[in-house]
Amino acid sequence: MTREAAIGSVEEYFDQGDFYEDLARRIAIPSTSQDPEKRPALYAYLIEEIGPCLEKMGYGISIHENPDPIGGPLLIAERHEGDDLTTVLTYGHGDVVRGHEGKWRDERSPWKMEKQGDRWYGRGTADNKGQHSINIAALAHVLKTRGSLGFNSRILIETSEETGSAGLREFCQAQKAALAADVLIGSDGPRLRPDAPTLFMGTRGAINFELTINLREGGHHSGNWGGLLSSASIRLANAISSIVDKKGKILLAGLKPAEIPESVRQALQGCSIEGGEGAPEVDPDWGEPGLTPAEQVFAWNSFEVLAMKAGDPEKVVNAVPPRATAWCQIRFTVDRDPDTFLSIIRDHLNQHGFDDVAVGQQEDGFMMQATRLLPDHPWVQWASASIEKTMKVPPVILPNLGGSLPNDVFSDVIGMPTIWVPHSYAACSQHAPNEHVLAPIMREGLQMMTGLFWDMGDGKTPVK
């Protein structure tokens, strides 16, 4: 009944191939929330796979319909060991993006996990089945070794994260008492570097919107009318260049943080962005001048044009385009209110003579709030010490991830500190063909999480 014995048990589970078999079985369930025809697989993943696994560990299970009709089902599991014990909420999502069948290398199926060297290929290996499978296995091996967890455990698995976590906020508001906990321990996203255990405590937010200019009905011959008619594509390009410059620097003060908190800046000192094999090179002169790459992606805002269209790109004709659209996104930290962004852009465009450019967001437009827990928070220090004890090196501590997760549901709606321990890396090809995980990161994840959950049961956690 020792910490070392629990970690040794989970190492054996990995080395003998049992973890690979469990994950392969889960990958084989085509639980994509982006394809309505696969909706039965969302239920199968919870009812036939995750539910029975947790019931064997002594958890009570309940499956819930989503309050949003487009959302998939949700699972709540609970193991209660004592009213005076720490309560931990663990989160994961069982849905995945589309499989992109026929586009994987070597004719692989997205629904059949395959091993090639240290890479395990399959849809959901990185996002997110592999990650929550690690955390569930770690809990199982603490139970196996100690006979109890030593804390109360609640687990939430949703199946709509890849469609914007439809219904999650409303569900958690309704189930606030059932999901209440002293801390969230979750796993998603990538490590800072493949070889660096990482903690992050929040996420940047994201808001998607459109800039559109519609000047007239139909195009007109560019020879007869070019130079006489205003061009929607040129107008839109210039409007965008008044918001963000040629090096990606945001030009509107209201769209970027006023400053970087000193504790955040200190935490990011020495952090280098290394996505691993296959990752792109960082452009050193892109974005806000004077910031390190780590500060750019973890402590600053970015403006991106995700797509643009004018005329018919598939069948180009010699005509002045009457209409142009740019689909844009702002990734933002907690330092700014995203509800002000579109009005700031609207006022700016009006002031600069672009009153013909419409600014709007679709009713179901993608938006996630930003969250951040500062690095000196007691739970951050506790989790960091636990991981260092296991790995013999301190983890990289990021105040927030560069990407977005529904973390505000846990930090703001339910109300708890949030700790995320990612078990993937940036070049894993998630959301694309050839998604994969690295076996060494999986093994280290099992070691870290088993040690962390063991320490959680020792009763030396931060005061409630």
Side-chain angles (χ1 to χ4, degrees), residues 25 99 289 390 421:
R25 190 176 61 251
T390 301
V421 188

Side-chain angles (χ1 to χ4, degrees), residues 10 14 34 43 69 204 258 269 314 335 342 370 396 438:
V10 86
F14 181 90
Q34 296 180 339
Y43 288 86
R204 285 199 298 182
Q269 283 184 355
E314 301 301 323
D335 309 277
L342 299 191
V396 174
L438 298 180

